[in-house]
Amino acid sequence: MLNLLLLVLTTSWPPAASGQDASSATVSPLNTHCNATAGTNHTAGSAYLSNLRALGGALSRRALATGFASGSYGAAPDEVHGLVLCRGDFTGGNCTDGLASAFRDAAAQFCPGAADATVYYDQYMIRYTNDGRLLSDPGDNEPLWSGKNMNEVTGADAAARFMAKATELMNRTADLAAFGSPPSSSSPSRYATGETWFDEQGVSVVYGLVQCTPDLTGEQCRSCLAGIIAQMPKLFGDASSRPVGGRILGVRCNLRYEKDVFFKETSTTIKLNMPKKLLLQRDLVILEREIVSESDERFSLFKFSKIKDATDNFSRENKLGEGGFGHVYKGRLTTNQDIAVKRLAPNSAQGFKEFKNEIKLIACLQHRNLVRLLGCCIKSKERILVYEYMPNGSLDGLIFGEEEVKPNWHVRRHIIEGIAEGLLYIHDYAHACIVHRDLKPSNILLDHEMNPKISDFGIARICLSSVTESNTTTAIGTFGYIAPEYCSQNVYSTKSDVFSFGILVLEIISGKRAVGSYKLSGRSYELRRYAWQLWKEERCDELVDPSFGEDYQEMDIIRCIQVALLCVQDSAEDRPTMHDVTTMLSNGNRRLLMPAQPGSFNIDIGDPEEL
Ligand SMILES: *[C@@H]1O[C@H](CO)[C@@H](O)[C@H](O)[C@H]1NC(C)=O
Ligand SMILES: *[C@@H]1O[C@H](CO)[C@@H](O)[C@H](O)[C@H]1NC(C)=O
Ligand SMILES: *[C@@H]1O[C@H](CO)[C@@H](O)[C@H](O)[C@H]1NC(C)=O
Ligand SMILES: *[C@@H]1O[C@H](CO)[C@@H](O)[C@H](O)[C@H]1NC(C)=O
Ligand SMILES: *[C@@H]1O[C@H](CO)[C@@H](O)[C@H](O)[C@H]1NC(C)=O
Ligand SMILES: *[C@@H]1O[C@H](CO)[C@@H](O)[C@H](O)[C@H]1NC(C)=O
Ligand SMILES: *[C@@H]1O[C@H](CO)[C@@H](O)[C@H](O)[C@H]1NC(C)=O
């Protein structure tokens, strides 16, 4: 991309633009400025030359961290002063390699013998001199160099509109570089990028970049940039035509704009006057790049048409289910891969920003007990998540469904352990602690080997690292699985998930739904209190799903019930963590605490048949 851009730029640019290839020994500079009036002509073996070599090496190394370094080396009269700068999106080893060879090339090739040289490259620059005063003045941006793209916007009106747009873009980007967020940052990058909408004569977006050396204050940086922005009308064309791209490079600050993207866009790239639709597209491109770079696994942005084809236009036959968030469809990609397509309801309040955060969050979660997100699709109001397809449906269908053959205790034990592992991962080991908040059987899916995978992180929230509980304005979750503190105070934490997990375990063991009323000695109980009562009276065998027959170990199942009852205790503090739970489940010898009797906080649901 950069090579191509270079080629279309002014003829004054070096013809060997293919020298941009980082692997070749010499990268061609855009411009070399050797100051012949600066005095001494240094010869091979001179003290000045060896000081210059030492300074070049030192500055190149020191620029590794921030892309900027300045300093001097040696003693007068052979002291050398220098400064190096990498473009804000081209730092690290690639830039410092370039800087080091720039010093070598300048001394040997471009400015042999000159005491004072400035060399501008596409993505970095070096400056050295024997006159320290030249580098000590932050207001001195000389020597300046400018170049322009050969393509033009023509016609007085269009040219004027274009120049106004480009100048506005530069102004705003300069503000960001000088005073941008966070303004008080101790090591500001003084680098900013932006985009504006033009949409005439084949130019749709204008991309802009400005940068100052980061040792300038905000005011100095802004004033330096104002100086070169003010030169744009003079340097770039005339009233009848304006180049579609150009740059002005100085020692202290520089600017560039083009009709094609030439820098790495980030979420801080300013967007001016951009149509909403386009904004979305750009955001998506950035989103994909950020996700792909953060997650090793492949994550894709799907075209809406591709999703439509995969699901036969979201046909009724392909519908797998629906929930508060929208519908889920089965789909098959042209590669024959089966996918589950979650089409969020168009009225879902979620804006792009929330959606983006959520996607970034889920895309990075990788665990064998979590359903993997393959990608997403966004088109105007459409918000679609694409997951791996789970052939064996949900736990809901498995334990409450119509199937004649229900999974035996061994399969269910395996499922319980898997869910516990998945939850432990999102609570403790994922890059950010996550609370699921809507754990229920229909959100536990099964792969072809009956491994459980937790799905639907649609309402997951990142816990603040220092605060394990956080307040939420809207209660979300599913009736029957919601922990008491969540119902009454709208406070959720990992312990609320532990509660839901406990309820799940009781359902898996009993084959009975949490929302239901179960009679014991003439009284009606909901599942949680029913289970506690049976456990208390040492009648656990009555809780166990009759379909197990004799095929289970009594002690093991009693243990699981006890763990579940510990999880569903009223007080969040009394509940174990998921770490405790996995330990209790795997270590049959560990003594367990006695679960407290459930209070009657719970909504009296009554008999569903009577409703
Ligand atoms: C060139 O060097 C001379 C002598 O040091 C200095 O006065 C002048 O400002 C330099 N020019 C540039 C563009 O740095
Ligand atoms: C450095 O350059 C190589 C080769 O062009 C490229 O693959 C790599 O991504 C670059 N590294 C960075 C940090 O830009
Ligand atoms: C320095 O001297 C060398 C050899 O005499 C000559 O080729 C070169 O052009 C001189 N450089 C300057 C900047 O005067
Ligand atoms: C850019 O800023 C300069 C000085 O701050 C101002 O004079 C000029 O009108 C601005 N131009 C645009 C298009 O915003
Ligand atoms: C989907 O619907 C569009 C019209 O809405 C139709 O042209 C297209 O053929 C349909 N595709 C399939 C696979 O049914
Ligand atoms: C689970 O899926 C596999 C492969 O699709 C299938 O052979 C198996 O019968 C399924 N098991 C259940 C319980 O549905
Ligand atoms: C949650 O909000 C309520 C009322 O606004 C407040 O009393 C309570 O302290 C908050 N809890 C947390 C954990 O922030």
Side-chain angles (χ1 to χ4, degrees), residues 11-74:
T11 45
S12 69
W13 290 29
S18 59
Q20 283 297 304
D21 184 351
S23 61
S24 75
T26 303
V27 178
S28 301
L30 297 171
N31 178 256
T32 59
H33 189 276
C34 315
N35 191 347
T37 64
T40 349
N41 187 339
H42 300 282
T43 50
S46 73
Y48 190 83
L49 194 59
S50 71
N51 286 345
L52 175 58
R53 288 211 179 102
L55 180 71
L59 292 184
S60 306
R61 283 191 299 276
R62 271 173 44 201
L64 186 63
T66 61
F68 170 73
S70 67
S72 53
Y73 194 89

Side-chain angles (χ1 to χ4, degrees), residues 249-550:
L249 307 182
V251 172
R252 288 305 184 164
C253 67
N254 63 71
L255 67 78
R256 183 177 182 188
Y257 70 90
E258 296 288 344
K259 77 175 179 58
D260 296 299
V261 65
F262 60 94
F263 52 79
K264 288 202 187 86
E265 296 167 288
T266 69
S267 38
T268 56
T269 300
I270 312 176
K271 313 272 189 334
L272 297 178
N273 321 310
M274 298 281 273
K276 253 203 166 124
K277 195 177 152 202
L278 200 76
L279 214 54
L280 196 62
Q281 279 169 12
R282 305 226 63 80
D283 278 352
L284 284 175
V285 171
I286 296 168
L287 171 68
E288 182 174 37
R289 201 178 41 232
E290 287 176 354
I291 292 175
V292 169
S293 70
E294 282 171 23
S295 62
D296 308 334
E297 296 285 325
R298 189 80 193 104
F299 175 90
S300 316
L301 286 182
F302 289 89
K303 282 218 165 88
F304 188 63
S305 58
K306 200 168 172 185
I307 301 288
K308 261 168 71 174
D309 288 349
T311 58
D312 280 334
N313 280 350
F314 302 102
S315 73
R316 193 173 301 200
E317 293 73 42
N318 281 329
K319 195 150 128 187
L320 294 172
E322 61 187 276
F325 51 78
H327 300 317
V328 187
Y329 299 86
K330 183 181 175 185
R332 173 163 289 191
L333 299 174
T334 44
T335 56
N336 274 339
Q337 183 185 6
D338 285 331
I339 52 172
V341 171
K342 187 164 290 178
R343 187 185 199 186
L344 303 184
N347 60 358
S348 97
Q350 201 176 39
F352 179 73
K353 206 170 146 209
E354 290 79 25
F355 187 70
K356 186 174 103 169
N357 289 341
E358 186 182 308
I359 297 269
K360 284 176 78 167
L361 183 67
I362 326 170
C364 299
L365 294 178
Q366 284 170 38
H367 187 272
R368 63 180 182 283
N369 296 113
L370 301 183
V371 175
R372 198 157 81 76
L373 182 70
L374 301 175
C376 69
C377 164
I378 303 183
K379 190 183 182 237
S380 57
K381 287 216 168 71
E382 294 281 358
R383 301 275 186 277
I384 291 169
L385 298 172
V386 179
Y387 293 94
E388 58 179 335
Y389 177 70
M390 291 289 125
N392 278 328
S394 78
L395 190 56
D396 194 64
L398 195 70
I399 54 178
F400 305 127
E402 305 285 289
E403 301 293 326
E404 296 264 303
V405 186
K406 303 268 187 212
N408 63 26
W409 170 239
H410 303 285
V411 173
R412 295 195 202 198
R413 184 81 161 74
H414 176 71
I415 291 173
I416 291 173
E417 283 163 19
I419 302 170
E421 295 287 339
L423 269 184
L424 175 64
Y425 171 80
I426 62 170
H427 287 177
D428 282 11
Y429 296 116
H431 57 297
C433 169
I434 293 157
V435 182
H436 186 288
R437 305 209 305 170
D438 196 16
L439 211 58
K440 55 183 174 181
S442 57
N443 280 338
I444 307 295
L445 305 182
L446 300 150
D447 73 3
H448 62 289
E449 287 174 320
M450 302 299 282
N451 295 308
K453 291 181 187 250
I454 303 173
S455 82
D456 202 352
F457 291 81
I459 50 177
R461 295 274 170 93
I462 305 174
C463 321
L464 300 171
S465 49
S466 55
V467 191
T468 50
E469 289 190 357
S470 49
N471 266 353
T472 153
T473 46
T474 30
I476 312 178
T478 300
F479 184 69
Y481 302 85
I482 312 172
E485 70 275 10
Y486 193 30
C487 272
S488 55
Q489 298 150 42
N490 261 0
V491 171
Y492 70 87
S493 71
T494 52
K495 292 293 187 71
S496 324
D497 278 354
V498 171
F499 182 94
S500 309
F501 172 79
I503 296 287
L504 265 179
V505 172
L506 294 179
E507 292 187 315
I508 293 171
I509 291 173
S510 66
K512 292 181 165 61
R513 287 189 188 275
V515 181
S517 144
Y518 306 101
K519 286 209 163 59
L520 196 62
S521 321
R523 291 191 55 185
S524 285
Y525 297 95
E526 32 88 24
L527 183 61
R528 190 172 71 120
R529 287 152 79 196
Y530 176 71
W532 189 86
Q533 207 65 39
L534 287 173
W535 177 81
K536 180 82 183 152
E537 296 171 19
E538 297 187 3
R539 294 160 63 187
C540 279
D541 53 317
E542 291 175 43
L543 185 67
V544 173
D545 189 330
S547 77
F548 293 174
E550 299 291 307

